[in-house]
Amino acid sequence: MFKDSFFKKVENKSGVNKDTIISLASKLQNSNMKDEKVLRDLVHEISNVAGREVSPEKEDKIIS
């Protein structure tokens, strides 16, 4: 019950549904966080889900 109410609050605030959140969390858990390409792919995917553009400069800061 707590989980559903938590996800509902997140969905209402961000517009991102529970399945997408769980999918991203799973990718984060199972990814090689030392691989720059993997990190860049994750940044792109998260920015797409969030509906926000990440500049190349900001992406470089996130990766470093």
Side-chain angles (χ1 to χ4, degrees):
M1 185 160 83
F2 168 76
K3 289 182 183 181
D4 288 335
S5 65
F6 170 77
F7 283 113
K8 198 61 162 167
K9 286 179 184 178
V10 171
E11 185 174 348
N12 288 339
K13 202 165 200 174
S14 68
V16 180
N17 68 35
K18 177 181 175 180
D19 293 333
T20 302
I21 295 168
I22 291 172
S23 173
L24 285 171
S26 177
K27 286 181 183 181
L28 287 169
Q29 269 188 324
N30 299 319
S31 294
N32 177 2
M33 299 306 249
K34 294 186 182 216
D35 184 339
E36 184 175 330
K37 181 178 179 349
V38 169
L39 288 173
R40 290 190 187 277
D41 289 345
L42 285 168
V43 168
H44 289 169
E45 187 168 351
I46 292 169
S47 70
N48 286 336
V49 167
R52 295 193 154 195
E53 190 173 323
V54 176
S55 70
E57 295 83 16
K58 189 177 261 188
E59 183 179 318
D60 288 341
K61 283 184 179 182
I62 293 168
I63 300 303
S64 66

Short mmCIF file of all heavy atoms in Angstrom, two decimals:
data_model
loop_
_atom_site.label_atom_id
_atom_site.label_comp_id
_atom_site.label_asym_id
_atom_site.label_seq_id
_atom_site.Cartn_x
_atom_site.Cartn_y
_atom_site.Cartn_z
N MET A 1 0.83 -1.19 0.00
CA MET A 1 0.00 0.00 0.00
C MET A 1 0.87 1.25 0.00
O MET A 1 0.63 2.17 -0.76
CB MET A 1 -0.94 -0.01 1.19
CG MET A 1 -1.90 1.16 1.18
SD MET A 1 -3.35 0.93 2.18
CE MET A 1 -2.76 1.38 3.77
N PHE A 2 1.91 1.29 0.86
CA PHE A 2 2.80 2.45 0.89
C PHE A 2 3.44 2.67 -0.47
O PHE A 2 3.50 3.80 -0.95
CB PHE A 2 3.87 2.27 1.97
CG PHE A 2 4.98 3.28 1.85
CD1 PHE A 2 4.79 4.59 2.26
CD2 PHE A 2 6.20 2.93 1.31
CE1 PHE A 2 5.80 5.53 2.15
CE2 PHE A 2 7.21 3.86 1.18
CZ PHE A 2 7.01 5.16 1.61
N LYS A 3 3.90 1.61 -1.08
CA LYS A 3 4.58 1.73 -2.36
C LYS A 3 3.68 2.37 -3.41
O LYS A 3 4.11 3.24 -4.16
CB LYS A 3 5.07 0.37 -2.85
CG LYS A 3 6.21 -0.18 -2.07
CD LYS A 3 6.64 -1.50 -2.64
CE LYS A 3 7.77 -2.10 -1.83
NZ LYS A 3 8.23 -3.37 -2.37
N ASP A 4 2.46 1.92 -3.48
CA ASP A 4 1.54 2.46 -4.48
C ASP A 4 1.27 3.94 -4.25
O ASP A 4 1.24 4.72 -5.20
CB ASP A 4 0.22 1.67 -4.48
CG ASP A 4 0.39 0.29 -5.09
OD1 ASP A 4 1.31 0.10 -5.91
OD2 ASP A 4 -0.40 -0.60 -4.75
N SER A 5 1.11 4.34 -2.99
CA SER A 5 0.85 5.76 -2.73
C SER A 5 2.09 6.59 -3.04
O SER A 5 1.99 7.71 -3.55
CB SER A 5 0.40 5.98 -1.28
OG SER A 5 1.42 5.66 -0.37
N PHE A 6 3.27 6.05 -2.75
CA PHE A 6 4.51 6.75 -3.08
C PHE A 6 4.63 6.94 -4.58
O PHE A 6 4.90 8.05 -5.06
CB PHE A 6 5.72 5.96 -2.54
CG PHE A 6 7.03 6.49 -3.03
CD1 PHE A 6 7.58 7.63 -2.48
CD2 PHE A 6 7.71 5.86 -4.06
CE1 PHE A 6 8.80 8.13 -2.93
CE2 PHE A 6 8.91 6.35 -4.52
CZ PHE A 6 9.46 7.49 -3.95
N PHE A 7 4.45 5.86 -5.33
CA PHE A 7 4.56 5.96 -6.79
C PHE A 7 3.50 6.89 -7.38
O PHE A 7 3.75 7.60 -8.34
CB PHE A 7 4.50 4.58 -7.44
CG PHE A 7 5.77 3.81 -7.31
CD1 PHE A 7 5.84 2.67 -6.54
CD2 PHE A 7 6.93 4.22 -7.97
CE1 PHE A 7 7.03 1.95 -6.43
CE2 PHE A 7 8.12 3.51 -7.87
CZ PHE A 7 8.16 2.38 -7.09
N LYS A 8 2.33 6.89 -6.80
CA LYS A 8 1.26 7.77 -7.28
C LYS A 8 1.66 9.24 -7.07
O LYS A 8 1.44 10.08 -7.96
CB LYS A 8 -0.05 7.45 -6.54
CG LYS A 8 -1.25 7.99 -7.24
CD LYS A 8 -1.36 7.37 -8.61
CE LYS A 8 -2.72 7.51 -9.18
NZ LYS A 8 -2.72 7.18 -10.60
N LYS A 9 2.26 9.54 -5.92
CA LYS A 9 2.71 10.91 -5.66
C LYS A 9 3.79 11.32 -6.66
O LYS A 9 3.77 12.43 -7.18
CB LYS A 9 3.23 11.04 -4.24
CG LYS A 9 2.15 11.05 -3.19
CD LYS A 9 2.74 11.17 -1.80
CE LYS A 9 1.65 11.06 -0.75
NZ LYS A 9 2.19 11.12 0.61
N VAL A 10 4.73 10.41 -6.89
CA VAL A 10 5.81 10.71 -7.84
C VAL A 10 5.23 10.91 -9.23
O VAL A 10 5.60 11.83 -9.95
CB VAL A 10 6.88 9.59 -7.84
CG1 VAL A 10 7.87 9.79 -8.97
CG2 VAL A 10 7.59 9.54 -6.50
N GLU A 11 4.31 10.04 -9.62
CA GLU A 11 3.69 10.14 -10.94
C GLU A 11 2.92 11.46 -11.09
O GLU A 11 3.03 12.13 -12.12
CB GLU A 11 2.76 8.96 -11.18
CG GLU A 11 2.18 8.93 -12.57
CD GLU A 11 1.37 7.68 -12.86
OE1 GLU A 11 1.42 6.72 -12.09
OE2 GLU A 11 0.66 7.68 -13.88
N ASN A 12 2.18 11.84 -10.07
CA ASN A 12 1.42 13.09 -10.13
C ASN A 12 2.35 14.30 -10.25
O ASN A 12 2.04 15.25 -10.94
CB ASN A 12 0.52 13.23 -8.91
CG ASN A 12 -0.64 12.28 -8.94
OD1 ASN A 12 -1.03 11.78 -9.99
ND2 ASN A 12 -1.20 12.00 -7.78
N LYS A 13 3.46 14.24 -9.55
CA LYS A 13 4.38 15.38 -9.54
C LYS A 13 5.25 15.45 -10.79
O LYS A 13 5.53 16.51 -11.30
CB LYS A 13 5.27 15.30 -8.30
CG LYS A 13 5.86 16.59 -7.90
CD LYS A 13 6.40 16.51 -6.50
CE LYS A 13 6.53 17.92 -5.97
NZ LYS A 13 6.91 18.00 -4.61
N SER A 14 5.66 14.27 -11.30
CA SER A 14 6.63 14.26 -12.40
C SER A 14 6.03 13.85 -13.75
O SER A 14 6.63 14.11 -14.79
CB SER A 14 7.77 13.30 -12.07
OG SER A 14 7.29 11.96 -12.06
N GLY A 15 4.91 13.15 -13.71
CA GLY A 15 4.33 12.65 -14.95
C GLY A 15 4.97 11.35 -15.43
O GLY A 15 4.68 10.88 -16.51
N VAL A 16 5.85 10.78 -14.59
CA VAL A 16 6.54 9.54 -14.94
C VAL A 16 5.85 8.40 -14.20
O VAL A 16 5.70 8.44 -12.98
CB VAL A 16 8.03 9.60 -14.54
CG1 VAL A 16 8.75 8.32 -14.89
CG2 VAL A 16 8.72 10.79 -15.20
N ASN A 17 5.43 7.37 -14.96
CA ASN A 17 4.67 6.30 -14.32
C ASN A 17 5.56 5.28 -13.60
O ASN A 17 6.77 5.23 -13.78
CB ASN A 17 3.73 5.61 -15.31
CG ASN A 17 4.47 4.81 -16.36
OD1 ASN A 17 5.50 4.22 -16.11
ND2 ASN A 17 3.92 4.77 -17.56
N LYS A 18 4.93 4.48 -12.76
CA LYS A 18 5.61 3.50 -11.91
C LYS A 18 6.47 2.54 -12.73
O LYS A 18 7.62 2.26 -12.36
CB LYS A 18 4.55 2.73 -11.11
CG LYS A 18 5.10 1.64 -10.24
CD LYS A 18 3.96 0.93 -9.52
CE LYS A 18 4.44 -0.25 -8.73
NZ LYS A 18 3.34 -0.94 -8.02
N ASP A 19 5.96 2.03 -13.82
CA ASP A 19 6.71 1.07 -14.63
C ASP A 19 7.99 1.67 -15.19
O ASP A 19 9.04 1.02 -15.22
CB ASP A 19 5.85 0.53 -15.78
CG ASP A 19 4.69 -0.31 -15.28
OD1 ASP A 19 4.80 -0.90 -14.19
OD2 ASP A 19 3.67 -0.36 -15.98
N THR A 20 7.94 2.92 -15.59
CA THR A 20 9.12 3.60 -16.11
C THR A 20 10.15 3.79 -15.01
O THR A 20 11.35 3.58 -15.22
CB THR A 20 8.74 4.96 -16.73
OG1 THR A 20 7.77 4.73 -17.76
CG2 THR A 20 9.94 5.67 -17.30
N ILE A 21 9.71 4.18 -13.83
CA ILE A 21 10.60 4.37 -12.69
C ILE A 21 11.29 3.05 -12.34
O ILE A 21 12.52 3.00 -12.14
CB ILE A 21 9.84 4.92 -11.48
CG1 ILE A 21 9.32 6.34 -11.77
CG2 ILE A 21 10.73 4.92 -10.23
CD1 ILE A 21 8.33 6.85 -10.76
N ILE A 22 10.53 1.99 -12.28
CA ILE A 22 11.09 0.68 -11.94
C ILE A 22 12.06 0.22 -13.02
O ILE A 22 13.13 -0.32 -12.72
CB ILE A 22 9.97 -0.34 -11.69
CG1 ILE A 22 9.23 0.03 -10.40
CG2 ILE A 22 10.51 -1.76 -11.61
CD1 ILE A 22 7.99 -0.76 -10.12
N SER A 23 11.73 0.45 -14.26
CA SER A 23 12.61 0.07 -15.37
C SER A 23 13.94 0.83 -15.29
O SER A 23 15.01 0.23 -15.46
CB SER A 23 11.92 0.36 -16.70
OG SER A 23 12.79 0.16 -17.77
N LEU A 24 13.88 2.12 -15.05
CA LEU A 24 15.11 2.92 -14.92
C LEU A 24 15.93 2.47 -13.72
O LEU A 24 17.16 2.36 -13.82
CB LEU A 24 14.77 4.40 -14.79
CG LEU A 24 14.34 5.10 -16.06
CD1 LEU A 24 13.82 6.50 -15.75
CD2 LEU A 24 15.48 5.17 -17.05
N ALA A 25 15.29 2.20 -12.61
CA ALA A 25 16.00 1.73 -11.41
C ALA A 25 16.71 0.41 -11.69
O ALA A 25 17.85 0.21 -11.28
CB ALA A 25 15.03 1.60 -10.24
N SER A 26 16.04 -0.46 -12.40
CA SER A 26 16.64 -1.75 -12.75
C SER A 26 17.86 -1.56 -13.64
O SER A 26 18.89 -2.20 -13.44
CB SER A 26 15.60 -2.62 -13.45
OG SER A 26 16.17 -3.83 -13.86
N LYS A 27 17.75 -0.67 -14.62
CA LYS A 27 18.89 -0.39 -15.50
C LYS A 27 20.06 0.17 -14.71
O LYS A 27 21.22 -0.17 -14.96
CB LYS A 27 18.49 0.56 -16.62
CG LYS A 27 17.66 -0.09 -17.68
CD LYS A 27 17.30 0.89 -18.77
CE LYS A 27 16.40 0.21 -19.78
NZ LYS A 27 16.03 1.10 -20.87
N LEU A 28 19.76 1.06 -13.77
CA LEU A 28 20.82 1.65 -12.94
C LEU A 28 21.51 0.58 -12.10
O LEU A 28 22.74 0.57 -11.99
CB LEU A 28 20.25 2.74 -12.04
CG LEU A 28 19.89 4.04 -12.72
CD1 LEU A 28 19.09 4.93 -11.79
CD2 LEU A 28 21.13 4.76 -13.21
N GLN A 29 20.74 -0.32 -11.54
CA GLN A 29 21.29 -1.38 -10.71
C GLN A 29 22.17 -2.33 -11.50
O GLN A 29 23.18 -2.80 -11.01
CB GLN A 29 20.17 -2.21 -10.06
CG GLN A 29 19.74 -1.71 -8.73
CD GLN A 29 18.77 -2.67 -8.10
OE1 GLN A 29 17.94 -3.30 -8.77
NE2 GLN A 29 18.84 -2.80 -6.79
N ASN A 30 21.78 -2.62 -12.72
CA ASN A 30 22.46 -3.63 -13.51
C ASN A 30 23.47 -3.08 -14.50
O ASN A 30 23.98 -3.81 -15.34
CB ASN A 30 21.42 -4.48 -14.26
CG ASN A 30 20.49 -5.20 -13.32
OD1 ASN A 30 20.92 -5.72 -12.30
ND2 ASN A 30 19.21 -5.21 -13.64
N SER A 31 23.79 -1.79 -14.40
CA SER A 31 24.69 -1.17 -15.36
C SER A 31 26.10 -1.06 -14.80
O SER A 31 26.31 -0.95 -13.59
CB SER A 31 24.20 0.24 -15.71
OG SER A 31 22.99 0.17 -16.39
N ASN A 32 27.05 -1.04 -15.72
CA ASN A 32 28.44 -0.80 -15.37
C ASN A 32 28.63 0.71 -15.30
O ASN A 32 28.78 1.37 -16.32
CB ASN A 32 29.37 -1.42 -16.42
CG ASN A 32 30.82 -1.14 -16.15
OD1 ASN A 32 31.19 -0.52 -15.15
ND2 ASN A 32 31.68 -1.61 -17.03
N MET A 33 28.66 1.24 -14.10
CA MET A 33 28.72 2.68 -13.91
C MET A 33 30.11 3.25 -14.18
O MET A 33 30.31 4.45 -14.06
CB MET A 33 28.26 3.04 -12.50
CG MET A 33 26.83 2.62 -12.23
SD MET A 33 25.71 3.29 -13.47
CE MET A 33 24.84 4.44 -12.49
N LYS A 34 31.04 2.42 -14.57
CA LYS A 34 32.38 2.90 -14.92
C LYS A 34 32.53 3.03 -16.43
O LYS A 34 33.53 3.53 -16.91
CB LYS A 34 33.44 1.97 -14.36
CG LYS A 34 33.45 1.98 -12.84
CD LYS A 34 34.58 1.20 -12.27
CE LYS A 34 34.45 1.25 -10.77
NZ LYS A 34 35.71 1.30 -10.09
N ASP A 35 31.53 2.60 -17.17
CA ASP A 35 31.55 2.67 -18.63
C ASP A 35 30.90 3.98 -19.07
O ASP A 35 29.71 4.21 -18.87
CB ASP A 35 30.80 1.46 -19.20
CG ASP A 35 30.84 1.39 -20.72
OD1 ASP A 35 31.08 2.42 -21.37
OD2 ASP A 35 30.61 0.28 -21.24
N GLU A 36 31.69 4.84 -19.69
CA GLU A 36 31.21 6.17 -20.07
C GLU A 36 30.02 6.10 -21.03
O GLU A 36 29.06 6.86 -20.90
CB GLU A 36 32.33 6.98 -20.71
CG GLU A 36 31.92 8.39 -21.04
CD GLU A 36 33.05 9.25 -21.57
OE1 GLU A 36 34.21 9.02 -21.21
OE2 GLU A 36 32.74 10.16 -22.37
N LYS A 37 30.04 5.18 -21.98
CA LYS A 37 28.93 5.06 -22.93
C LYS A 37 27.64 4.68 -22.21
O LYS A 37 26.58 5.23 -22.50
CB LYS A 37 29.25 4.03 -24.02
CG LYS A 37 28.11 3.91 -25.03
CD LYS A 37 28.41 2.95 -26.14
CE LYS A 37 27.31 2.78 -27.15
NZ LYS A 37 26.01 3.31 -26.91
N VAL A 38 27.74 3.76 -21.27
CA VAL A 38 26.56 3.36 -20.49
C VAL A 38 26.00 4.56 -19.73
O VAL A 38 24.79 4.79 -19.71
CB VAL A 38 26.92 2.20 -19.53
CG1 VAL A 38 25.80 1.93 -18.54
CG2 VAL A 38 27.25 0.93 -20.30
N LEU A 39 26.89 5.32 -19.10
CA LEU A 39 26.45 6.50 -18.35
C LEU A 39 25.77 7.52 -19.25
O LEU A 39 24.74 8.07 -18.91
CB LEU A 39 27.63 7.14 -17.63
CG LEU A 39 28.18 6.36 -16.44
CD1 LEU A 39 29.46 7.01 -15.93
CD2 LEU A 39 27.15 6.27 -15.33
N ARG A 40 26.36 7.76 -20.41
CA ARG A 40 25.77 8.73 -21.35
C ARG A 40 24.40 8.25 -21.83
O ARG A 40 23.46 9.05 -21.94
CB ARG A 40 26.71 8.99 -22.51
CG ARG A 40 27.94 9.78 -22.08
CD ARG A 40 28.77 10.26 -23.24
NE ARG A 40 30.00 10.86 -22.76
CZ ARG A 40 30.11 12.13 -22.33
NH1 ARG A 40 29.06 12.91 -22.35
NH2 ARG A 40 31.26 12.60 -21.89
N ASP A 41 24.28 6.96 -22.10
CA ASP A 41 22.98 6.42 -22.51
C ASP A 41 21.94 6.60 -21.40
O ASP A 41 20.79 6.96 -21.67
CB ASP A 41 23.11 4.94 -22.87
CG ASP A 41 23.85 4.70 -24.17
OD1 ASP A 41 24.04 5.67 -24.95
OD2 ASP A 41 24.27 3.54 -24.41
N LEU A 42 22.35 6.36 -20.15
CA LEU A 42 21.43 6.54 -19.03
C LEU A 42 21.02 8.01 -18.87
O LEU A 42 19.85 8.30 -18.63
CB LEU A 42 22.06 6.03 -17.74
CG LEU A 42 22.11 4.52 -17.59
CD1 LEU A 42 23.01 4.12 -16.41
CD2 LEU A 42 20.72 3.93 -17.40
N VAL A 43 21.97 8.92 -19.02
CA VAL A 43 21.65 10.35 -18.93
C VAL A 43 20.64 10.72 -20.00
O VAL A 43 19.66 11.43 -19.72
CB VAL A 43 22.93 11.21 -19.04
CG1 VAL A 43 22.58 12.68 -19.24
CG2 VAL A 43 23.82 11.03 -17.82
N HIS A 44 20.84 10.23 -21.23
CA HIS A 44 19.90 10.53 -22.32
C HIS A 44 18.52 9.96 -22.02
O HIS A 44 17.50 10.63 -22.23
CB HIS A 44 20.41 9.98 -23.64
CG HIS A 44 21.59 10.73 -24.17
ND1 HIS A 44 22.35 10.29 -25.21
CD2 HIS A 44 22.17 11.89 -23.78
CE1 HIS A 44 23.32 11.15 -25.45
NE2 HIS A 44 23.22 12.13 -24.59
N GLU A 45 18.49 8.74 -21.55
CA GLU A 45 17.19 8.11 -21.27
C GLU A 45 16.45 8.83 -20.16
O GLU A 45 15.25 9.11 -20.26
CB GLU A 45 17.39 6.64 -20.91
CG GLU A 45 16.09 5.90 -20.78
CD GLU A 45 16.23 4.40 -20.69
OE1 GLU A 45 17.34 3.88 -20.90
OE2 GLU A 45 15.22 3.75 -20.43
N ILE A 46 17.16 9.17 -19.10
CA ILE A 46 16.52 9.87 -17.99
C ILE A 46 16.06 11.26 -18.42
O ILE A 46 14.96 11.70 -18.05
CB ILE A 46 17.47 9.94 -16.77
CG1 ILE A 46 17.67 8.52 -16.21
CG2 ILE A 46 16.94 10.88 -15.70
CD1 ILE A 46 18.77 8.40 -15.19
N SER A 47 16.86 11.94 -19.21
CA SER A 47 16.45 13.28 -19.67
C SER A 47 15.21 13.20 -20.57
O SER A 47 14.34 14.05 -20.50
CB SER A 47 17.59 14.01 -20.37
OG SER A 47 17.89 13.42 -21.61
N ASN A 48 15.13 12.15 -21.38
CA ASN A 48 13.95 11.96 -22.23
C ASN A 48 12.71 11.70 -21.38
O ASN A 48 11.64 12.27 -21.64
CB ASN A 48 14.15 10.81 -23.21
CG ASN A 48 15.08 11.17 -24.34
OD1 ASN A 48 15.24 12.33 -24.67
ND2 ASN A 48 15.71 10.18 -24.94
N VAL A 49 12.85 10.84 -20.38
CA VAL A 49 11.72 10.53 -19.51
C VAL A 49 11.27 11.78 -18.75
O VAL A 49 10.08 12.03 -18.60
CB VAL A 49 12.11 9.40 -18.52
CG1 VAL A 49 11.08 9.26 -17.41
CG2 VAL A 49 12.26 8.07 -19.26
N ALA A 50 12.24 12.56 -18.31
CA ALA A 50 11.92 13.76 -17.53
C ALA A 50 11.45 14.91 -18.42
O ALA A 50 10.92 15.90 -17.93
CB ALA A 50 13.15 14.20 -16.74
N GLY A 51 11.66 14.77 -19.74
CA GLY A 51 11.25 15.82 -20.65
C GLY A 51 12.14 17.05 -20.56
O GLY A 51 11.69 18.17 -20.80
N ARG A 52 13.40 16.83 -20.19
CA ARG A 52 14.34 17.94 -20.06
C ARG A 52 15.56 17.66 -20.92
O ARG A 52 16.09 16.56 -20.92
CB ARG A 52 14.78 18.10 -18.62
CG ARG A 52 13.65 18.52 -17.73
CD ARG A 52 14.16 18.95 -16.43
NE ARG A 52 13.21 19.89 -15.84
CZ ARG A 52 13.50 20.65 -14.85
NH1 ARG A 52 14.70 20.62 -14.32
NH2 ARG A 52 12.60 21.45 -14.36
N GLU A 53 16.01 18.70 -21.58
CA GLU A 53 17.19 18.57 -22.42
C GLU A 53 18.44 18.78 -21.55
O GLU A 53 18.46 19.64 -20.68
CB GLU A 53 17.15 19.61 -23.53
CG GLU A 53 18.21 19.39 -24.57
CD GLU A 53 18.05 20.33 -25.74
OE1 GLU A 53 16.88 20.61 -26.11
OE2 GLU A 53 19.06 20.78 -26.28
N VAL A 54 19.46 17.97 -21.80
CA VAL A 54 20.73 18.10 -21.09
C VAL A 54 21.76 18.56 -22.11
O VAL A 54 22.00 17.89 -23.11
CB VAL A 54 21.15 16.76 -20.45
CG1 VAL A 54 22.52 16.88 -19.80
CG2 VAL A 54 20.11 16.30 -19.44
N SER A 55 22.36 19.70 -21.83
CA SER A 55 23.37 20.23 -22.75
C SER A 55 24.62 19.34 -22.72
O SER A 55 24.85 18.64 -21.73
CB SER A 55 23.76 21.66 -22.34
OG SER A 55 24.48 21.63 -21.12
N PRO A 56 25.41 19.37 -23.78
CA PRO A 56 26.64 18.58 -23.78
C PRO A 56 27.56 18.94 -22.61
O PRO A 56 28.20 18.05 -22.04
CB PRO A 56 27.29 18.94 -25.12
CG PRO A 56 26.15 19.36 -25.99
CD PRO A 56 25.17 20.02 -25.07
N GLU A 57 27.60 20.22 -22.23
CA GLU A 57 28.43 20.63 -21.11
C GLU A 57 27.94 20.02 -19.79
O GLU A 57 28.72 19.53 -18.98
CB GLU A 57 28.45 22.17 -20.98
CG GLU A 57 29.11 22.88 -22.15
CD GLU A 57 28.15 23.06 -23.33
OE1 GLU A 57 26.92 22.93 -23.20
OE2 GLU A 57 28.67 23.35 -24.43
N LYS A 58 26.64 20.05 -19.60
CA LYS A 58 26.06 19.48 -18.38
C LYS A 58 26.24 17.96 -18.36
O LYS A 58 26.55 17.38 -17.32
CB LYS A 58 24.58 19.84 -18.27
CG LYS A 58 23.97 19.45 -16.92
CD LYS A 58 22.55 19.90 -16.82
CE LYS A 58 22.52 21.18 -16.03
NZ LYS A 58 21.15 21.61 -15.71
N GLU A 59 26.07 17.33 -19.52
CA GLU A 59 26.28 15.89 -19.61
C GLU A 59 27.72 15.54 -19.22
O GLU A 59 27.95 14.59 -18.47
CB GLU A 59 25.99 15.40 -21.03
CG GLU A 59 26.11 13.91 -21.19
CD GLU A 59 25.80 13.46 -22.59
OE1 GLU A 59 24.82 13.97 -23.19
OE2 GLU A 59 26.54 12.60 -23.10
N ASP A 60 28.68 16.31 -19.72
CA ASP A 60 30.09 16.08 -19.38
C ASP A 60 30.31 16.21 -17.87
O ASP A 60 31.05 15.42 -17.27
CB ASP A 60 31.01 17.04 -20.12
CG ASP A 60 31.11 16.72 -21.61
OD1 ASP A 60 30.77 15.57 -22.01
OD2 ASP A 60 31.50 17.61 -22.39
N LYS A 61 29.68 17.20 -17.24
CA LYS A 61 29.80 17.37 -15.78
C LYS A 61 29.21 16.18 -15.04
O LYS A 61 29.79 15.71 -14.06
CB LYS A 61 29.11 18.66 -15.34
CG LYS A 61 29.88 19.90 -15.62
CD LYS A 61 29.16 21.11 -15.05
CE LYS A 61 29.94 22.37 -15.31
NZ LYS A 61 29.27 23.54 -14.73
N ILE A 62 28.08 15.71 -15.50
CA ILE A 62 27.44 14.55 -14.86
C ILE A 62 28.34 13.33 -14.97
O ILE A 62 28.54 12.60 -13.98
CB ILE A 62 26.06 14.26 -15.49
CG1 ILE A 62 25.09 15.38 -15.17
CG2 ILE A 62 25.51 12.92 -15.02
CD1 ILE A 62 23.80 15.34 -15.98
N ILE A 63 28.91 13.12 -16.13
CA ILE A 63 29.75 11.95 -16.36
C ILE A 63 31.03 12.02 -15.53
O ILE A 63 31.48 11.02 -14.99
CB ILE A 63 30.09 11.79 -17.87
CG1 ILE A 63 28.82 11.62 -18.70
CG2 ILE A 63 31.05 10.63 -18.10
CD1 ILE A 63 27.93 10.48 -18.31
N SER A 64 31.60 13.22 -15.43
CA SER A 64 32.85 13.32 -14.66
C SER A 64 32.57 13.28 -13.18
O SER A 64 33.34 12.86 -12.40
CB SER A 64 33.60 14.59 -15.03
OG SER A 64 32.90 15.74 -14.63
#
